[in-house]
Amino acid sequence: MYLKILIILFSLLYQNTAHSKATEKNQFNQKYLSNYFSALVSVTNQKNDDAIIFFNSSKFLMNKHDNFLREYVFSLVLGGQVKNAINQIKRSNNSNFFEGDLLLALESITKKNYKQAEKRLKKLLAYQENEAYEFVIIKILESYNHLFLNSKIKKNSRNLGRIDLITSSFQNCYLGTKKTESNFLNLINSSENEYSRYLFFHLGNIIEKKDYELVNEISKTIDPLMSSLLIAQSKKWIDENKYEKFNNYFSCKSENDLLAEFFFLIANLYSSQDLFKESNFYLNISNYLNPKFYFNLSLLAENYHLNNNLEFAKKILNELSDEEEVYHWFKTKKITQFLAEQEKDNEALDYFEKKINKFKNPSTKILYDIANIYKKFKNYEKAIEYYSLVLSKINKNTSTYADVLYRRGGSFERMGNYEMADIDLLKSLEIRPDDPYSLNYLAYSWLERKFKIKEAMEMLNKAYNEKENDPYITDSVGWGYYLIGDYENAEKYLRKAVELMPDDPIVNDHYGDVLWQLNRKMQAKYFWKNVLEFEDTDEKMKKDIQNKLLNGPNKI
């Protein structure tokens, strides 16, 4: 990136040196170059607010360097200044880049000047070979513009798979056709979980028809723990009879709301490819079109988090309203996570415990999250307390109930209360007898306690047959063989575990142990020394490894 910046600056220096020979009046001003350089560096360092200040101070270059306007527009949009970005493009009269022409076309659509939008969208066709997503954006915007202009759906010849079905769902909803329900159901019932989001829009459409009985029936089928944020919030509204909330945030009769949802979809596609700058660009356009739907800011915060910009992620989270419980909770949970990632565990726990007291009647999902967070902080007593609350509120014959038992059982096991741990884990397995993680956890615990060794090995092998490439289960099988003295089989599985998870301290430690027992002591020491270098190795393990390097492993 820095090389790219230097090339741009060299080009500017050359252009302006040549220009100064023609006229002293337009002699290049070093101040503009310096500010432009600072703007580009700020962009690279994800300091977007600083970048905008520097771009504003170097507008002299707007019509002198082709890339200036694009970078400036990107920074403005990333800073939430979409309207300003559009105005800068219009003033420059030099929008020879996809995003610039896109914003102009979008302005025409939002002003209901669909004929002008048609012309501007045709100009975008020149860019359609550049990138697959740009082709998608052009074609879908063309279809929406046609819909808004003619009040009918344009015949589809795009072959864009699920994107076509999503577009058709919203466009039929806009027109109020009978196809709306079947289209949304096709999305929601897809085997791919990422389409569960569209349940929100399906429910909103049913509520608009005032079919509250059907809405309540659908709500009962929503998993209270495993659903996404948007669907969990939807369920809470329905449970509290706050049906009007749906239309407060989104209406498929609103052109802007439809376009906002489309750009959220595009942002999601870019985010899934780790193209966070592009994703954030389209998220900000989505937010500009429908600022009511602030729930989408959760993806913006996730993007900055994944791009290691915790400061800005936290800033975005603080823009989430505390009005809606599920998103208020999401903000609390993520800020706790950020503090923990910065190795501020005490501060994180203190923040977390102060915040949870503000939730007077927390949903089952929030109680479940609280339990999981306490477990991560190794406060197993509190975790068990909250897992028990969750279990008292959910159906006993569901996979979800089994999952909570598994987690509570793991907490009992960590406290050394093996009797209660076994009760929970065995009960979980009664509901899900083939669940590889429950089988693995219970079997590993039994082996460590030298309890029911034969049954434990059978359970481990059953878990491995279900998930043979899971590194944790592979490690457990190998360690199981080690504990019963079958070092040949132990080495085979532990070697595979190291291959699957080469930087895990426990796996490397286990592999070193089995190599030592096979009299491959030099290799054993190599893997133990690796453990000392890993960042995740705790102090107790480091002391144990130092002892092994001197004396070898303890006898079984």
Side-chain angles (χ1 to χ4, degrees), residues 457 477-496 511 513-520 556:
M457 288 306 300
V477 177
W479 194 240
Y481 279 116
Y482 178 88
L483 291 174
I484 63 173
D486 186 346
Y487 302 129
E488 294 293 337
N489 269 317
E491 192 277 334
K492 180 177 73 173
Y493 286 101
L494 290 170
R495 177 170 16 99
K496 183 179 176 181
Y511 193 46
D513 285 2
V514 77
L515 290 171
W516 182 276
Q517 299 297 349
L518 292 169
N519 208 29
R520 291 157 61 180
I556 302 170

Side-chain angles (χ1 to χ4, degrees), residues 122-139:
K122 280 180 182 174
K123 188 181 176 185
L124 281 173
L125 292 172
Y127 304 101
Q128 67 180 332
E129 300 298 326
N130 291 2
E131 188 195 314
Y133 292 159
E134 290 180 358
F135 173 78
V136 171
I137 291 168
I138 295 164
K139 292 302 176 185

Side-chain angles (χ1 to χ4, degrees), residues 243-254:
Y243 305 112
E244 74 285 352
K245 289 282 190 177
F246 286 81
N247 198 54
N248 288 349
Y249 294 106
F250 181 90
S251 170
C252 64
K253 305 302 180 189
S254 162

Side-chain angles (χ1 to χ4, degrees), residues 249-268:
Y249 294 106
F250 181 90
S251 170
C252 64
K253 305 302 180 189
S254 162
E255 290 87 353
N256 276 23
D257 289 5
L258 290 176
L259 293 174
E261 178 57 24
F262 168 63
F263 281 109
F264 176 79
L265 170 63
I266 295 298
N268 236 327

Side-chain angles (χ1 to χ4, degrees), residues 459-512:
M459 289 160 67
L460 282 176
N461 281 304
K462 185 177 179 180
Y464 181 78
N465 289 334
E466 290 285 326
K467 292 276 184 183
E468 62 179 30
N469 286 318
D470 184 286
Y472 298 102
I473 291 174
T474 305
D475 173 68
S476 293
V477 177
W479 194 240
Y481 279 116
Y482 178 88
L483 291 174
I484 63 173
D486 186 346
Y487 302 129
E488 294 293 337
N489 269 317
E491 192 277 334
K492 180 177 73 173
Y493 286 101
L494 290 170
R495 177 170 16 99
K496 183 179 176 181
V498 169
E499 290 167 359
L500 290 168
M501 201 161 46
D503 298 327
D504 184 81
I506 294 172
V507 170
N508 279 267
D509 180 27
H510 284 172
Y511 193 46

Side-chain angles (χ1 to χ4, degrees), residues 167-182:
T167 305
S168 175
S169 300
F170 285 110
Q171 292 188 353
N172 276 284
C173 189
Y174 178 77
L175 295 174
T177 73
K178 291 179 180 178
K179 287 184 178 179
T180 306
E181 185 176 354
S182 61

